[in-house]
Amino acid sequence: MPITKTNQKVDVNLRRIINGADADVIQLYPIKHKFAWDAYLAGNANHWLPTEMSMQKDVEQWKSKTVLSEDERLALKVVLGFFTTGDSIAANNIILAIYRHITSPECRMYLLRQGFEEAIHTHSYQYIVESLGLDEGEIFNMYREVDAIYDKDVFIVGFNEGIFNPQFETGTFETDQKFLENLIVSYLIMEGIFFYSSFAVMFGFQRQNKMAGSAEQIQYIMRDESQHLNFGIEMINAIKQEQPELWTPEFQRHTVELIKKGVVLEYTFAQEVFPRGIFGMNADGFRKYIEHIADRRLARIGLLQQYGSPNPFPWMSEAIDLSKEKNFFETRVTEYQTGGALNFDF
Ligand code: FE
């Protein structure tokens, strides 16, 4: 993007998430989208690295013939099989597609932080795989071998593709809706739904005092993902405000249909990879849980809830009770004013 020589200062009112009229993506100030700056600060306050977590007890339990059942061993591997793809797909989408079209420098700041966090998450899975001595080929290639993972990933990547095209530009009604659709799929479905039955399984381990080092890392990841989801929701709502013409009844119906498809893919994944259930969570529980969180995502972008399922896994709300947590909650208390923002999006 060329730099124009001028003493005319940037007008904050022209700043937009996409299609910013001044299109100055270099100057952080004046900040218009404060939620992005707040998310960036919260992300920094929550910084962590997987290697801070001891895997010693996990290694002992994994080696022991008696601690973990065969179903539990398989569950850990399948969950890792999905996780190893989820954060890589998210990172590619942020760096190669979303970033280029975002014209708010403060949103770009957070996207850089988010991209780094996705890398930390992939590092975490690598650290678990390496510590436990798992077969890397089995775990990292699983998404190309197991239908239930493949189907989820193909769904997401299919929507990303149009945006990845170097010829793609925002600025028309069609391309702006296409971009908004990509945000909805990436943030609400990938970050906000597709991780959650796997999160529930990891906290199942934790509740039984099994694989605590692995589960603790997943807790940190869930906290980060929850922030990614919140940021995505804020961006979507800001675009709705800045370009209300995009949010047509037809597009709203389309969004609901997409989320419903995501829900089916997610509970099908849970039912296929945990056919006998796991840690007391059965097929019906997973379905209700996924429907419950999908309703919450829909409400956050102003759409009608579709399911009305009560949360069958209320203990998921406690899973986030982390030792490093205090700082984070304090940050959110002061920086997020909206009701419900303190709740993690389970
Ligand atoms: Fe993420």
Side-chain angles (χ1 to χ4, degrees):
M1 193 166 294
I3 299 174
T4 312
K5 195 155 189 301
T6 175
N7 59 8
Q8 178 95 42
K9 302 293 186 271
V10 168
D11 179 355
V12 70
N13 296 310
L14 297 177
R15 197 154 274 199
R16 298 277 184 276
I17 303 279
I18 52 174
N19 305 312
D22 64 343
D24 189 307
V25 289
I26 294 174
Q27 301 185 34
L28 176 63
Y29 277 87
I31 286 178
K32 180 184 177 195
H33 304 106
K34 188 165 180 297
F35 68 85
W37 181 246
D38 290 344
Y40 173 79
L41 295 178
N44 289 346
N46 292 332
H47 188 73
W48 66 284
L49 283 173
T51 44
E52 292 166 349
M53 259 59 83
S54 168
M55 286 292 290
Q56 194 186 334
K57 189 130 188 263
D58 294 47
V59 171
E60 284 165 21
Q61 291 183 333
W62 190 258
K63 278 190 184 148
S64 156
K65 298 271 181 278
T66 54
V67 176
L68 300 170
S69 71
E70 274 314 305
D71 277 357
E72 289 166 4
R73 286 173 181 278
L74 184 63
L76 186 96
K77 289 200 273 189
V78 174
V79 159
L80 285 171
F82 169 69
F83 279 152
T84 54
T85 65
D87 292 276
S88 294
I89 289 172
N92 288 343
N93 194 25
I94 293 163
I95 304 298
L96 297 173
I98 294 176
Y99 190 95
R100 189 161 71 88
H101 302 291
I102 296 290
T103 53
S104 160
E106 55 270 32
C107 286
R108 285 187 163 198
M109 281 283 282
Y110 182 69
L111 286 171
L112 294 173
R113 171 80 216 177
Q114 187 191 342
F116 180 44
E117 287 174 8
E118 309 295 5
I120 290 171
H121 301 171
T122 301
H123 180 184
S124 189
Y125 313 133
Q126 181 278 341
Y127 177 57
I128 295 171
V129 166
E130 186 182 51
S131 303
L132 300 180
L134 302 180
D135 176 346
E136 298 96 337
E138 181 189 355
I139 304 296
F140 284 86
N141 199 51
M142 199 182 287
Y143 79 109
R144 302 202 291 196
E145 302 178 33
V146 173
D147 286 347
I149 302 177
Y150 175 86
D151 291 346
K152 290 205 292 181
D153 288 348
V154 165
F155 176 80
I156 297 293
V157 171
F159 284 99
N160 291 346
E161 262 164 14
I163 311 295
F164 272 67
N165 183 336
Q167 260 75 53
F168 178 88
E169 294 296 345
T170 58
T172 68
F173 180 79
E174 286 73 26
T175 57
D176 287 353
Q177 274 196 340
K178 178 78 193 147
F179 186 77
L180 194 54
E181 179 193 63
N182 186 47
L183 289 184
I184 286 161
V185 168
S186 301
Y187 281 96
L188 266 64
I189 301 180
M190 184 57 149
E191 307 261 16
I193 294 176
F194 280 3
F195 278 80
Y196 277 77
S197 38
S198 300
F199 283 152
V201 170
M202 288 310 298
F203 302 131
F205 278 101
Q206 193 174 46
R207 277 151 51 84
Q208 305 221 339
N209 286 322
K210 293 174 178 173
M211 308 307 283
S214 305
E216 194 182 2
Q217 291 173 62
I218 305 301
Q219 270 188 301
Y220 283 106
I221 290 172
M222 185 160 89
R223 182 177 62 178
D224 294 343
E225 294 303 349
S226 175
Q227 183 69 55
H228 301 173
L229 170 66
N230 275 323
F231 172 73
I233 286 168
E234 296 272 14
M235 274 205 303
I236 291 163
N237 285 333
I239 292 175
K240 277 168 53 188
Q241 239 175 22
E242 290 169 358
Q243 296 184 250
E245 73 283 1
L246 300 176
W247 197 242
T248 61
E250 195 191 345
F251 189 80
Q252 294 178 38
R253 276 194 296 277
H254 175 60
T255 301
V256 170
E257 287 314 309
L258 287 177
I259 289 178
K260 282 181 164 176
K261 277 186 192 157
V263 166
V264 172
L265 281 165
E266 183 58 11
Y267 73 66
T268 304
F269 162 82
Q271 291 168 358
E272 281 183 16
V273 299
F274 319 116
R276 288 173 292 279
I278 184 102
F279 301 127
M281 298 178 279
N282 59 23
D284 191 50
F286 276 115
R287 184 175 56 78
K288 290 212 171 83
Y289 177 63
I290 299 305
E291 290 175 352
H292 171 78
I293 60 169
D295 268 345
R296 294 181 51 121
R297 313 302 183 242
L298 285 163
R300 292 284 306 278
I301 56 167
L303 294 175
L304 278 180
Q305 304 202 346
Q306 300 293 311
Y307 303 100
S309 299
N311 184 2
F313 306 155
W315 46 267
M316 277 294 280
S317 340
E318 292 152 31
I320 207 69
D321 192 17
L322 286 159
S323 52
K324 267 188 171 181
E325 195 61 24
K326 205 164 175 296
N327 222 348
F328 182 61
F329 275 120
E330 281 167 4
T331 309
R332 289 176 69 99
V333 169
T334 53
E335 293 181 359
Y336 287 81
Q337 303 299 326
T338 52
L342 276 177
N343 298 325
F344 280 89
D345 279 279
F346 300 105

